[in-house]
């Protein structure tokens, strides 16, 4: 269908513009769009990918890489393989990291975490020279939280209710601990934590920081990320921010017929 076609075209375009056979370490995100990135890389054949190692962002990403016949390298094994090169040296060992997003704003800030993998996604992003966000036009928004309704936050289960109350203090309306529909219990992430989905008003762009007014619910992505991350019990926040300039690229071309 048209959405799947849009995802596939966006992935092929993202790879065409950013993938090189000289790469050694490639980060692979989570969700359905990224499947087309892996499918396209595998289709290039072993002569391109056999020497590469693919760093996953969770159990689903690991399975996707393995099922495509590509080599999986988990983050701890990557860091052991490259070794610690001393304080102040770069930790961006991955040549590139491809992933989807739930929403992307005009500055390429993203909401991520719809697939509950945001923590490992952010770890892999931190270890990558470049993050290529691949998203069809449904994800495109002028500002974050204008289409996608909430910020996924990964939290310690024992402190989840405390964090939920602190998020309400911060201005979130009715934050909810995410349920796993299949087991009818709270969803457990790959890191054995809970996810709280916290609705907030539409975020400003980081370049509009002068308009910030938390009392009126006006936050920039950077400021709100820092504030939420500071709540006792929060592991990580599903806002990827500051991906400007050469580090990031918008999605591929809009596919005919797929309008935002
Ligand atoms: O969880 C995430 O951040 C994922 O990247 C995800 O939400 C994107 O999912 P999709 O490619 O299936 O839309």
């Amino acid at each position: 269908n048209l959405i799947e076609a849009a995802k596939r075209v966006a992935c092929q375009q993202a790879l065409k513009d950013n993938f090189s056979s000289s790469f050694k370490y490639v980060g692979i995100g989570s969700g359905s769009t990224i499947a087309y990135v892996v499918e396209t890389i595998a289709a290039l054949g072993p002569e391109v990918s056999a020497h590469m190692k693919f760093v996953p962002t969770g159990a689903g990403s690991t399975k996707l890489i393995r099922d495509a016949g590509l080599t999986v390298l988990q983050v701890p094994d990557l860091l052991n393989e490259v070794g610690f090169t001393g304080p102040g040296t770069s930790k961006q060992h991955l040549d590139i990291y491809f992933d989807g997003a739930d929403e992307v704003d005009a500055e390429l800030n993203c909401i991520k975490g719809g697939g509950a993998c945001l923590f490992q996604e952010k770890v892999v992003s931190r270890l990558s020279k470049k993050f290529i966000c691949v998203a069809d036009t449904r994800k495109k928004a002028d500002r974050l939280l204008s289409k996608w309704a909430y910020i996924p936050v990964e939290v310690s289960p024992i402190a989840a209710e405390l964090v939920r109350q602190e998020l309400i203090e911060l201005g979130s309306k009715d934050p909810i601990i995410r349920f796993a529909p299949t087991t009818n219990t709270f969803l457990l992430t790959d890191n054995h934590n809970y996810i709280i989905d916290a609705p907030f008003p539409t975020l400003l762009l980081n370049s509009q920081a002068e308009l910030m007014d938390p009392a009126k619910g006006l936050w920039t992505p950077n400021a709100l990320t820092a504030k939420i991350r500071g709540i006792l019990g929060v592991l990580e926040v599903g806002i990827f921010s500051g991906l400007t300039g050469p580090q990031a690229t918008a999605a591929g071309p809009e596919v005919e017929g797929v309008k935002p």
Side-chain angles (χ1 to χ4, degrees):
N1 67 33
L2 276 178
I3 293 292
E4 293 311 307
K7 290 178 181 179
R8 187 188 295 270
V9 167
C11 290
Q12 289 164 349
Q13 185 73 45
L15 284 162
K16 186 163 162 283
D17 296 349
N18 299 283
F19 191 71
S20 159
S21 53
S22 67
F23 287 163
K24 194 172 170 194
Y25 298 117
V26 178
I28 296 295
S30 306
S32 61
T33 304
I34 198 67
Y36 295 113
V37 166
V38 172
E39 173 191 277
T40 308
I41 291 174
L44 296 174
E47 61 281 7
V48 171
S49 59
H51 72 282
M52 294 179 179
K53 294 176 181 175
F54 295 84
V55 181
T57 51
S61 170
T62 298
K63 183 176 184 322
L64 182 70
I65 296 167
R66 199 166 282 146
D67 289 354
L70 301 173
T71 305
V72 172
L73 184 67
Q74 298 292 349
V75 165
D77 300 324
L78 163 79
L79 292 172
N80 288 330
E81 188 166 297
V82 297
F84 179 47
T85 45
T89 54
S90 169
K91 292 178 186 57
Q92 295 178 324
H93 307 301
L94 279 74
D95 300 289
I96 204 157
Y97 162 48
F98 293 99
D99 201 349
D102 298 308
E103 191 177 46
V104 187
D105 74 8
E107 289 179 341
L108 296 183
N109 301 304
C110 307
I111 295 286
K112 286 176 61 48
C117 297
L118 68 101
F119 175 65
Q120 291 191 35
E121 290 171 344
K122 202 167 267 194
V123 169
V124 171
S125 175
R126 167 83 174 76
L127 296 171
S128 300
K129 292 179 179 63
K130 256 192 180 186
F131 167 46
I132 306 298
C133 176
V134 191
D136 60 80
T137 49
R138 291 171 303 158
K139 318 300 186 65
K140 216 170 166 181
D142 289 338
R143 290 163 45 181
L144 293 183
L145 300 180
S146 43
K147 282 182 175 177
W148 189 265
Y150 52 79
I151 302 172
V153 182
E154 183 153 348
V155 303
S156 156
I158 194 81
E161 181 51 29
L162 168 63
V163 173
R164 206 184 70 79
Q165 292 172 17
E166 297 277 9
L167 286 166
I168 292 169
E169 304 269 356
L170 257 189
S172 177
K173 295 281 174 285
D174 190 24
I176 294 173
I177 302 174
R178 193 181 298 181
F179 242 62
T182 44
T183 63
N184 204 26
T185 58
F186 289 133
L187 175 142
L188 273 182
T189 68
D190 293 325
N191 318 300
H192 313 293
N193 293 312
Y194 287 168
I195 295 280
I196 292 181
D197 291 318
F200 275 92
T202 303
L203 296 180
L204 299 167
L205 295 174
N206 282 324
S207 56
Q208 296 174 308
E210 75 283 355
L211 301 177
M212 256 209 351
D213 184 346
K216 291 188 186 135
L218 289 173
W219 293 91
T220 60
N222 281 342
L224 188 53
T225 303
K227 197 73 181 167
I228 295 175
R229 196 186 280 129
I231 298 173
L232 175 63
V234 170
L235 177 68
E236 194 44 72
V237 183
I239 297 175
F240 283 49
S241 184
L243 302 170
T244 50
Q247 252 213 337
T249 175
E254 294 191 5
V255 177
E256 261 322 296
V258 180
K259 296 296 171 217

